[in-house]
PDB file of all heavy atoms in Angstrom:
ATOM      1  N   VAL A   1      13.860  -2.895 -18.719  1.00  0.00           N
ATOM      2  CA  VAL A   1      13.677  -4.109 -17.917  1.00  0.00           C
ATOM      3  C   VAL A   1      14.458  -3.948 -16.617  1.00  0.00           C
ATOM      4  O   VAL A   1      15.633  -3.563 -16.634  1.00  0.00           O
ATOM      5  CB  VAL A   1      14.172  -5.365 -18.651  1.00  0.00           C
ATOM      6  CG1 VAL A   1      13.963  -6.604 -17.783  1.00  0.00           C
ATOM      7  CG2 VAL A   1      13.472  -5.527 -19.992  1.00  0.00           C
ATOM      8  N   GLY A   2      13.811  -4.215 -15.506  1.00  0.00           N
ATOM      9  CA  GLY A   2      14.474  -4.190 -14.210  1.00  0.00           C
ATOM     10  C   GLY A   2      14.185  -5.455 -13.443  1.00  0.00           C
ATOM     11  O   GLY A   2      13.183  -6.143 -13.693  1.00  0.00           O
ATOM     12  N   ARG A   3      15.078  -5.789 -12.510  1.00  0.00           N
ATOM     13  CA  ARG A   3      14.889  -6.995 -11.705  1.00  0.00           C
ATOM     14  C   ARG A   3      15.006  -6.647 -10.234  1.00  0.00           C
ATOM     15  O   ARG A   3      15.854  -5.844  -9.842  1.00  0.00           O
ATOM     16  CB  ARG A   3      15.941  -8.049 -12.074  1.00  0.00           C
ATOM     17  CG  ARG A   3      15.709  -9.410 -11.406  1.00  0.00           C
ATOM     18  CD  ARG A   3      16.834 -10.384 -11.684  1.00  0.00           C
ATOM     19  NE  ARG A   3      17.970 -10.182 -10.786  1.00  0.00           N
ATOM     20  CZ  ARG A   3      18.946 -11.063 -10.604  1.00  0.00           C
ATOM     21  NH1 ARG A   3      18.955 -12.198 -11.292  1.00  0.00           N
ATOM     22  NH2 ARG A   3      19.950 -10.797  -9.794  1.00  0.00           N
ATOM     23  N   GLU A   4      14.140  -7.267  -9.426  1.00  0.00           N
ATOM     24  CA  GLU A   4      14.231  -7.075  -7.988  1.00  0.00           C
ATOM     25  C   GLU A   4      13.997  -8.400  -7.283  1.00  0.00           C
ATOM     26  O   GLU A   4      13.350  -9.308  -7.834  1.00  0.00           O
ATOM     27  CB  GLU A   4      13.221  -6.034  -7.496  1.00  0.00           C
ATOM     28  CG  GLU A   4      11.766  -6.371  -7.761  1.00  0.00           C
ATOM     29  CD  GLU A   4      10.825  -5.253  -7.376  1.00  0.00           C
ATOM     30  OE1 GLU A   4      10.991  -4.125  -7.915  1.00  0.00           O
ATOM     31  OE2 GLU A   4       9.910  -5.498  -6.558  1.00  0.00           O
ATOM     32  N   GLU A   5      14.557  -8.537  -6.088  1.00  0.00           N
ATOM     33  CA  GLU A   5      14.344  -9.752  -5.305  1.00  0.00           C
ATOM     34  C   GLU A   5      12.895  -9.799  -4.829  1.00  0.00           C
ATOM     35  O   GLU A   5      12.320  -8.789  -4.434  1.00  0.00           O
ATOM     36  CB  GLU A   5      15.303  -9.783  -4.121  1.00  0.00           C
ATOM     37  CG  GLU A   5      16.758  -9.905  -4.532  1.00  0.00           C
ATOM     38  CD  GLU A   5      17.696  -9.946  -3.329  1.00  0.00           C
ATOM     39  OE1 GLU A   5      17.198  -9.783  -2.183  1.00  0.00           O
ATOM     40  OE2 GLU A   5      18.904 -10.129  -3.530  1.00  0.00           O
ATOM     41  N   PHE A   6      12.320 -11.010  -4.874  1.00  0.00           N
ATOM     42  CA  PHE A   6      10.905 -11.161  -4.534  1.00  0.00           C
ATOM     43  C   PHE A   6      10.697 -12.144  -3.388  1.00  0.00           C
ATOM     44  O   PHE A   6       9.602 -12.227  -2.844  1.00  0.00           O
ATOM     45  CB  PHE A   6      10.135 -11.611  -5.782  1.00  0.00           C
ATOM     46  CG  PHE A   6       8.648 -11.435  -5.704  1.00  0.00           C
ATOM     47  CD1 PHE A   6       8.076 -10.283  -5.182  1.00  0.00           C
ATOM     48  CD2 PHE A   6       7.793 -12.434  -6.166  1.00  0.00           C
ATOM     49  CE1 PHE A   6       6.696 -10.119  -5.118  1.00  0.00           C
ATOM     50  CE2 PHE A   6       6.409 -12.277  -6.118  1.00  0.00           C
ATOM     51  CZ  PHE A   6       5.862 -11.121  -5.589  1.00  0.00           C
ATOM     52  N   GLY A   7      11.740 -12.905  -3.026  1.00  0.00           N
ATOM     53  CA  GLY A   7      11.622 -13.866  -1.936  1.00  0.00           C
ATOM     54  C   GLY A   7      12.356 -15.149  -2.237  1.00  0.00           C
ATOM     55  O   GLY A   7      13.215 -15.206  -3.127  1.00  0.00           O
ATOM     56  N   VAL A   8      12.002 -16.207  -1.503  1.00  0.00           N
ATOM     57  CA  VAL A   8      12.642 -17.513  -1.651  1.00  0.00           C
ATOM     58  C   VAL A   8      11.558 -18.582  -1.688  1.00  0.00           C
ATOM     59  O   VAL A   8      10.601 -18.540  -0.914  1.00  0.00           O
ATOM     60  CB  VAL A   8      13.612 -17.795  -0.488  1.00  0.00           C
ATOM     61  CG1 VAL A   8      14.203 -19.199  -0.595  1.00  0.00           C
ATOM     62  CG2 VAL A   8      14.731 -16.753  -0.453  1.00  0.00           C
ATOM     63  N   ALA A   9      11.720 -19.549  -2.597  1.00  0.00           N
ATOM     64  CA  ALA A   9      10.796 -20.684  -2.692  1.00  0.00           C
ATOM     65  C   ALA A   9      11.602 -21.952  -2.901  1.00  0.00           C
ATOM     66  O   ALA A   9      12.432 -22.023  -3.812  1.00  0.00           O
ATOM     67  CB  ALA A   9       9.821 -20.491  -3.851  1.00  0.00           C
ATOM     68  N   ALA A  10      11.373 -22.948  -2.055  1.00  0.00           N
ATOM     69  CA  ALA A  10      12.101 -24.222  -2.140  1.00  0.00           C
ATOM     70  C   ALA A  10      13.607 -23.978  -2.176  1.00  0.00           C
ATOM     71  O   ALA A  10      14.337 -24.585  -2.955  1.00  0.00           O
ATOM     72  CB  ALA A  10      11.649 -25.017  -3.358  1.00  0.00           C
ATOM     73  N   HIS A  11      14.067 -23.083  -1.320  1.00  0.00           N
ATOM     74  CA  HIS A  11      15.489 -22.739  -1.169  1.00  0.00           C
ATOM     75  C   HIS A  11      16.075 -22.055  -2.400  1.00  0.00           C
ATOM     76  O   HIS A  11      17.289 -21.919  -2.513  1.00  0.00           O
ATOM     77  CB  HIS A  11      16.324 -23.986  -0.833  1.00  0.00           C
ATOM     78  CG  HIS A  11      15.810 -24.761   0.339  1.00  0.00           C
ATOM     79  ND1 HIS A  11      15.850 -24.276   1.640  1.00  0.00           N
ATOM     80  CD2 HIS A  11      15.218 -25.976   0.415  1.00  0.00           C
ATOM     81  CE1 HIS A  11      15.325 -25.159   2.460  1.00  0.00           C
ATOM     82  NE2 HIS A  11      14.922 -26.206   1.741  1.00  0.00           N
ATOM     83  N   ASN A  12      15.219 -21.633  -3.320  1.00  0.00           N
ATOM     84  CA  ASN A  12      15.680 -20.934  -4.519  1.00  0.00           C
ATOM     85  C   ASN A  12      15.229 -19.474  -4.477  1.00  0.00           C
ATOM     86  O   ASN A  12      14.079 -19.192  -4.111  1.00  0.00           O
ATOM     87  CB  ASN A  12      15.112 -21.586  -5.782  1.00  0.00           C
ATOM     88  CG  ASN A  12      15.644 -22.983  -6.001  1.00  0.00           C
ATOM     89  OD1 ASN A  12      16.840 -23.203  -6.051  1.00  0.00           O
ATOM     90  ND2 ASN A  12      14.742 -23.953  -6.125  1.00  0.00           N
ATOM     91  N   PRO A  13      16.118 -18.548  -4.856  1.00  0.00           N
ATOM     92  CA  PRO A  13      15.695 -17.148  -4.904  1.00  0.00           C
ATOM     93  C   PRO A  13      14.645 -16.943  -5.993  1.00  0.00           C
ATOM     94  O   PRO A  13      14.697 -17.570  -7.050  1.00  0.00           O
ATOM     95  CB  PRO A  13      16.990 -16.387  -5.233  1.00  0.00           C
ATOM     96  CG  PRO A  13      17.864 -17.401  -5.893  1.00  0.00           C
ATOM     97  CD  PRO A  13      17.525 -18.723  -5.272  1.00  0.00           C
ATOM     98  N   VAL A  14      13.687 -16.092  -5.710  1.00  0.00           N
ATOM     99  CA  VAL A  14      12.635 -15.744  -6.666  1.00  0.00           C
ATOM    100  C   VAL A  14      12.767 -14.266  -7.007  1.00  0.00           C
ATOM    101  O   VAL A  14      12.958 -13.430  -6.114  1.00  0.00           O
ATOM    102  CB  VAL A  14      11.232 -16.043  -6.095  1.00  0.00           C
ATOM    103  CG1 VAL A  14      10.139 -15.584  -7.056  1.00  0.00           C
ATOM    104  CG2 VAL A  14      11.093 -17.535  -5.810  1.00  0.00           C
ATOM    105  N   TYR A  15      12.675 -13.954  -8.291  1.00  0.00           N
ATOM    106  CA  TYR A  15      12.862 -12.573  -8.748  1.00  0.00           C
ATOM    107  C   TYR A  15      11.605 -12.066  -9.442  1.00  0.00           C
ATOM    108  O   TYR A  15      10.795 -12.842  -9.968  1.00  0.00           O
ATOM    109  CB  TYR A  15      14.050 -12.489  -9.705  1.00  0.00           C
ATOM    110  CG  TYR A  15      15.359 -12.845  -9.054  1.00  0.00           C
ATOM    111  CD1 TYR A  15      15.925 -14.117  -9.239  1.00  0.00           C
ATOM    112  CD2 TYR A  15      16.038 -11.939  -8.246  1.00  0.00           C
ATOM    113  CE1 TYR A  15      17.114 -14.459  -8.633  1.00  0.00           C
ATOM    114  CE2 TYR A  15      17.239 -12.280  -7.639  1.00  0.00           C
ATOM    115  CZ  TYR A  15      17.775 -13.537  -7.840  1.00  0.00           C
ATOM    116  OH  TYR A  15      18.954 -13.878  -7.236  1.00  0.00           O
ATOM    117  N   LEU A  16      11.481 -10.752  -9.424  1.00  0.00           N
ATOM    118  CA  LEU A  16      10.403 -10.066 -10.115  1.00  0.00           C
ATOM    119  C   LEU A  16      11.027  -9.204 -11.203  1.00  0.00           C
ATOM    120  O   LEU A  16      11.930  -8.397 -10.938  1.00  0.00           O
ATOM    121  CB  LEU A  16       9.626  -9.190  -9.131  1.00  0.00           C
ATOM    122  CG  LEU A  16       8.226  -8.731  -9.511  1.00  0.00           C
ATOM    123  CD1 LEU A  16       7.290  -9.924  -9.652  1.00  0.00           C
ATOM    124  CD2 LEU A  16       7.684  -7.760  -8.463  1.00  0.00           C
ATOM    125  N   TYR A  17      10.562  -9.413 -12.443  1.00  0.00           N
ATOM    126  CA  TYR A  17      11.069  -8.648 -13.585  1.00  0.00           C
ATOM    127  C   TYR A  17      10.010  -7.626 -14.015  1.00  0.00           C
ATOM    128  O   TYR A  17       8.871  -7.992 -14.296  1.00  0.00           O
ATOM    129  CB  TYR A  17      11.415  -9.579 -14.748  1.00  0.00           C
ATOM    130  CG  TYR A  17      12.698 -10.339 -14.538  1.00  0.00           C
ATOM    131  CD1 TYR A  17      12.720 -11.479 -13.749  1.00  0.00           C
ATOM    132  CD2 TYR A  17      13.892  -9.910 -15.111  1.00  0.00           C
ATOM    133  CE1 TYR A  17      13.904 -12.185 -13.530  1.00  0.00           C
ATOM    134  CE2 TYR A  17      15.083 -10.609 -14.906  1.00  0.00           C
ATOM    135  CZ  TYR A  17      15.067 -11.736 -14.116  1.00  0.00           C
ATOM    136  OH  TYR A  17      16.244 -12.425 -13.906  1.00  0.00           O
ATOM    137  N   TRP A  18      10.417  -6.376 -14.058  1.00  0.00           N
ATOM    138  CA  TRP A  18       9.535  -5.297 -14.488  1.00  0.00           C
ATOM    139  C   TRP A  18       9.875  -4.888 -15.912  1.00  0.00           C
ATOM    140  O   TRP A  18      11.029  -4.595 -16.227  1.00  0.00           O
ATOM    141  CB  TRP A  18       9.684  -4.082 -13.580  1.00  0.00           C
ATOM    142  CG  TRP A  18       8.944  -4.168 -12.285  1.00  0.00           C
ATOM    143  CD1 TRP A  18       9.428  -4.593 -11.079  1.00  0.00           C
ATOM    144  CD2 TRP A  18       7.578  -3.796 -12.049  1.00  0.00           C
ATOM    145  NE1 TRP A  18       8.456  -4.529 -10.112  1.00  0.00           N
ATOM    146  CE2 TRP A  18       7.306  -4.030 -10.679  1.00  0.00           C
ATOM    147  CE3 TRP A  18       6.557  -3.297 -12.865  1.00  0.00           C
ATOM    148  CZ2 TRP A  18       6.062  -3.779 -10.106  1.00  0.00           C
ATOM    149  CZ3 TRP A  18       5.316  -3.044 -12.298  1.00  0.00           C
ATOM    150  CH2 TRP A  18       5.072  -3.277 -10.933  1.00  0.00           C
ATOM    151  N   LEU A  19       8.882  -4.871 -16.785  1.00  0.00           N
ATOM    152  CA  LEU A  19       9.027  -4.347 -18.136  1.00  0.00           C
ATOM    153  C   LEU A  19       8.178  -3.081 -18.220  1.00  0.00           C
ATOM    154  O   LEU A  19       6.961  -3.131 -17.990  1.00  0.00           O
ATOM    155  CB  LEU A  19       8.585  -5.361 -19.190  1.00  0.00           C
ATOM    156  CG  LEU A  19       9.379  -6.677 -19.235  1.00  0.00           C
ATOM    157  CD1 LEU A  19       8.656  -7.755 -18.441  1.00  0.00           C
ATOM    158  CD2 LEU A  19       9.587  -7.141 -20.667  1.00  0.00           C
ATOM    159  N   ARG A  20       8.812  -1.961 -18.557  1.00  0.00           N
ATOM    160  CA  ARG A  20       8.123  -0.670 -18.518  1.00  0.00           C
ATOM    161  C   ARG A  20       8.225   0.015 -19.873  1.00  0.00           C
ATOM    162  O   ARG A  20       9.323   0.234 -20.395  1.00  0.00           O
ATOM    163  CB  ARG A  20       8.727   0.228 -17.438  1.00  0.00           C
ATOM    164  CG  ARG A  20       8.676  -0.366 -16.026  1.00  0.00           C
ATOM    165  CD  ARG A  20       9.331   0.577 -15.022  1.00  0.00           C
ATOM    166  NE  ARG A  20       9.495  -0.036 -13.715  1.00  0.00           N
ATOM    167  CZ  ARG A  20       8.574  -0.004 -12.741  1.00  0.00           C
ATOM    168  NH1 ARG A  20       7.428   0.621 -12.971  1.00  0.00           N
ATOM    169  NH2 ARG A  20       8.794  -0.591 -11.576  1.00  0.00           N
ATOM    170  N   SER A  21       7.055   0.342 -20.411  1.00  0.00           N
ATOM    171  CA  SER A  21       6.990   1.063 -21.675  1.00  0.00           C
ATOM    172  C   SER A  21       6.990   2.571 -21.418  1.00  0.00           C
ATOM    173  O   SER A  21       6.375   3.035 -20.449  1.00  0.00           O
ATOM    174  CB  SER A  21       5.719   0.679 -22.436  1.00  0.00           C
ATOM    175  OG  SER A  21       5.460   1.591 -23.482  1.00  0.00           O
ATOM    176  N   PRO A  22       7.649   3.351 -22.275  1.00  0.00           N
ATOM    177  CA  PRO A  22       7.598   4.813 -22.118  1.00  0.00           C
ATOM    178  C   PRO A  22       6.191   5.373 -22.306  1.00  0.00           C
ATOM    179  O   PRO A  22       5.914   6.502 -21.899  1.00  0.00           O
ATOM    180  CB  PRO A  22       8.555   5.318 -23.203  1.00  0.00           C
ATOM    181  CG  PRO A  22       8.623   4.218 -24.196  1.00  0.00           C
ATOM    182  CD  PRO A  22       8.491   2.956 -23.410  1.00  0.00           C
ATOM    183  N   ALA A  23       5.303   4.564 -22.894  1.00  0.00           N
ATOM    184  CA  ALA A  23       3.919   5.002 -23.089  1.00  0.00           C
ATOM    185  C   ALA A  23       3.039   4.723 -21.870  1.00  0.00           C
ATOM    186  O   ALA A  23       1.855   5.045 -21.877  1.00  0.00           O
ATOM    187  CB  ALA A  23       3.325   4.331 -24.324  1.00  0.00           C
ATOM    188  N   GLY A  24       3.612   4.098 -20.819  1.00  0.00           N
ATOM    189  CA  GLY A  24       2.890   3.975 -19.557  1.00  0.00           C
ATOM    190  C   GLY A  24       2.591   2.586 -19.059  1.00  0.00           C
ATOM    191  O   GLY A  24       2.264   2.402 -17.887  1.00  0.00           O
ATOM    192  N   LEU A  25       2.684   1.553 -19.917  1.00  0.00           N
ATOM    193  CA  LEU A  25       2.399   0.189 -19.465  1.00  0.00           C
ATOM    194  C   LEU A  25       3.572  -0.348 -18.649  1.00  0.00           C
ATOM    195  O   LEU A  25       4.728  -0.243 -19.060  1.00  0.00           O
ATOM    196  CB  LEU A  25       2.156  -0.728 -20.667  1.00  0.00           C
ATOM    197  CG  LEU A  25       1.905  -2.214 -20.358  1.00  0.00           C
ATOM    198  CD1 LEU A  25       0.609  -2.392 -19.578  1.00  0.00           C
ATOM    199  CD2 LEU A  25       1.868  -3.041 -21.642  1.00  0.00           C
ATOM    200  N   ALA A  26       3.265  -0.950 -17.495  1.00  0.00           N
ATOM    201  CA  ALA A  26       4.285  -1.588 -16.660  1.00  0.00           C
ATOM    202  C   ALA A  26       3.788  -2.975 -16.275  1.00  0.00           C
ATOM    203  O   ALA A  26       2.681  -3.127 -15.756  1.00  0.00           O
ATOM    204  CB  ALA A  26       4.572  -0.760 -15.416  1.00  0.00           C
ATOM    205  N   VAL A  27       4.615  -3.982 -16.532  1.00  0.00           N
ATOM    206  CA  VAL A  27       4.247  -5.376 -16.281  1.00  0.00           C
ATOM    207  C   VAL A  27       5.327  -6.010 -15.413  1.00  0.00           C
ATOM    208  O   VAL A  27       6.521  -5.881 -15.705  1.00  0.00           O
ATOM    209  CB  VAL A  27       4.106  -6.160 -17.595  1.00  0.00           C
ATOM    210  CG1 VAL A  27       3.777  -7.623 -17.311  1.00  0.00           C
ATOM    211  CG2 VAL A  27       3.026  -5.533 -18.481  1.00  0.00           C
ATOM    212  N   ALA A  28       4.908  -6.692 -14.348  1.00  0.00           N
ATOM    213  CA  ALA A  28       5.834  -7.402 -13.471  1.00  0.00           C
ATOM    214  C   ALA A  28       5.566  -8.893 -13.552  1.00  0.00           C
ATOM    215  O   ALA A  28       4.421  -9.332 -13.368  1.00  0.00           O
ATOM    216  CB  ALA A  28       5.698  -6.921 -12.033  1.00  0.00           C
TER     217      ALA A  28
END
């Protein structure tokens, strides 16, 4: 699981969480 900054909405930070399987699936 990884996290990265994605922007700001209504003065709140928005983050993107990546879940990556060793078998190749990646979901953000």
Side-chain angles (χ1 to χ4, degrees):
V1 180
R3 187 186 82 164
E4 60 186 58
E5 294 180 355
F6 197 43
V8 176
H11 307 292
N12 294 305
V14 176
Y15 296 101
L16 199 64
Y17 285 81
W18 280 94
L19 298 97
R20 301 178 189 271
S21 165
L25 177 65
V27 178

